[in-house]
Amino acid sequence: MIEFWRNESTLSFDPDAKASTQITEVLDKVKATKMGKGAEALVNFLRIMSLYLDPRQEPSMASDRLLLQEYTLKTNVIDIRFIIRGMEKQILGAIVGGGIRLWIVWEDESIKAELSAYYHRLVCTNGMIRKTETAGWFEAQSLEEWVKQVENGLPSVMSCISAGLDTFYRSARIRLGILVPVIPVILEYMDVQQPYRKLITDSFDAEPGDTLWHLVNAFSRAANLVMKASGVPPDEADQKRIQLQRASVNICEKVLEDFEQGKSIFEIAENIKKITE
């Protein structure tokens, strides 16, 4: 059983969006598919987030600041992404929302999960994922331990969201110039196959500029298109999509670091080729 849900419009970023209703609907679906421990883990996460975002409020199923962006449900896996209202930044005329991606997989005796920073450019339906090493992967043998793990990891993820938004803002000032022809070489080095390679180059051609920010958006927008690529099995499409979304942030951070260290354009081109998941 695999079910995808994507918010293909900017509705969930509207101040009047019924985010709590959407989240409740997801929980109902999770419970209906007998995802017992997964549903309980998700409810606990939502309550912790609610208390973290609104400490003066009673913890509830979801904070009004927590907006559901999309989710994927499998037999014993929940992959869900939220945007946090109030954690956004304007970059080159577009609003970029910051939030959290939660990946949960459970078995009879344990819950495994990963918390990551998640970003979404509100003018289109693409997202980016930034690994949060200090939170990252964790495993809990009980729901009580799960709660402690989430509470301990959440502050570092929230800090990571802000740091990532700042990185994107700085990347918008970096013109790629003669690095543009190197992009196919980067994709080849990363072993990005067709049709994904063409999706990325076409996406970059469609971007309204040639900055580092536009390049990382091309990666993440192509990742969204992978979901719609004909003949791609859902599991493979989802895996490729996540890979490209993470590559977007990885390339952005590494290339930006090189530029800010004053490395030559040729050194940067060489280093880009080495950037891979």
Side-chain angles (χ1 to χ4, degrees):
M1 184 278 296
I2 297 177
E3 178 183 347
F4 294 108
W5 181 89
R6 286 184 57 77
N7 178 12
E8 295 292 354
S9 71
T10 56
L11 176 63
S12 68
F13 304 102
D14 190 297
D16 297 324
K18 305 300 181 183
S20 298
T21 300
Q22 294 174 347
I23 290 172
T24 301
E25 289 173 357
V26 175
L27 284 171
D28 288 343
K29 288 185 178 182
V30 171
K31 293 172 182 176
T33 51
K34 299 181 180 179
M35 293 181 169
K37 186 173 285 189
E40 292 180 79
L42 182 56
V43 167
N44 284 328
F45 170 80
L46 291 170
R47 291 187 182 278
I48 294 167
M49 280 296 302
S50 172
L51 186 60
Y52 187 95
L53 294 173
D54 304 293
R56 290 178 292 182
Q57 303 291 328
E58 287 294 323
S60 61
M61 198 84 78
S63 163
D64 287 339
R65 291 184 59 197
L66 197 63
L67 306 177
L68 178 65
Q69 175 56 24
E70 62 177 294
Y71 64 81
T72 303
L73 301 180
K74 302 179 186 177
T75 303
N76 67 326
V77 177
I78 300 173
D79 186 352
I80 191 164
R81 306 174 194 205
F82 303 95
I83 292 295
I84 300 171
R85 187 185 282 120
M87 295 197 74
E88 62 272 332
K89 199 175 189 73
Q90 184 163 332
I91 303 176
L92 292 181
I95 302 297
V96 183
I100 286 181
R101 176 204 181 217
L102 172 65
W103 187 91
I104 308 174
V105 59
W106 62 95
E107 299 171 352
D108 292 337
E109 301 299 327
S110 67
I111 303 170
K112 296 180 181 178
E114 183 183 35
L115 282 174
S116 307
Y118 176 71
Y119 308 93
H120 188 92
R121 185 172 58 164
L122 307 193
V123 296
C124 57
T125 55
N126 65 291
M128 305 181 202
I129 298 170
R130 184 175 192 250
K131 286 186 177 180
T132 312
E133 298 300 337
T134 51
W137 287 91
F138 55 90
E139 184 172 355
Q141 299 301 319
S142 66
L143 288 171
E144 291 77 13
E145 185 181 353
W146 160 256
V147 168
K148 291 180 181 178
Q149 294 273 23
V150 173
E151 289 176 339
N152 290 337
L154 194 55
S156 64
V157 179
M158 298 297 285
S159 175
C160 182
I161 294 169
S162 299
L165 288 170
D166 181 63
T167 295
F168 294 144
Y169 181 77
R170 286 153 47 212
S171 73
R173 302 178 182 181
I174 305 299
R175 295 287 300 276
L176 293 179
I178 65 172
L179 279 177
V180 173
V182 145
I183 292 171
V185 179
I186 304 169
L187 301 179
E188 182 177 357
Y189 189 89
M190 291 177 64
D191 196 29
V192 176
Q193 302 296 316
Q194 299 291 8
Y196 317 118
R197 190 184 301 185
K198 188 174 187 304
L199 287 173
I200 295 170
T201 53
D202 287 352
S203 293
F204 185 54
D205 288 342
E207 285 289 331
D210 66 346
T211 71
L212 178 57
W213 167 243
H214 293 105
L215 175 61
V216 300
N217 272 288
F219 268 84
S220 58
R221 186 140 52 88
N224 181 43
L225 295 174
V226 167
M227 292 284 288
K228 302 176 182 179
S230 59
V232 180
D235 273 338
E236 180 185 343
D238 205 31
Q239 181 182 7
K240 291 290 185 181
R241 180 175 173 231
I242 291 169
Q243 180 184 359
L244 289 175
Q245 288 178 329
R246 283 186 162 156
S248 304
V249 182
N250 194 22
I251 286 174
C252 183
E253 293 179 340
K254 298 297 185 184
V255 175
L256 182 62
E257 180 181 351
D258 282 350
F259 268 104
E260 293 181 338
Q261 288 179 356
K263 293 186 178 180
S264 73
I265 203 80
F266 301 105
E267 288 178 306
I268 294 169
E270 179 62 29
N271 288 340
I272 289 178
K273 292 191 296 181
K274 297 177 182 178
I275 297 170
T276 176
E277 286 286 287

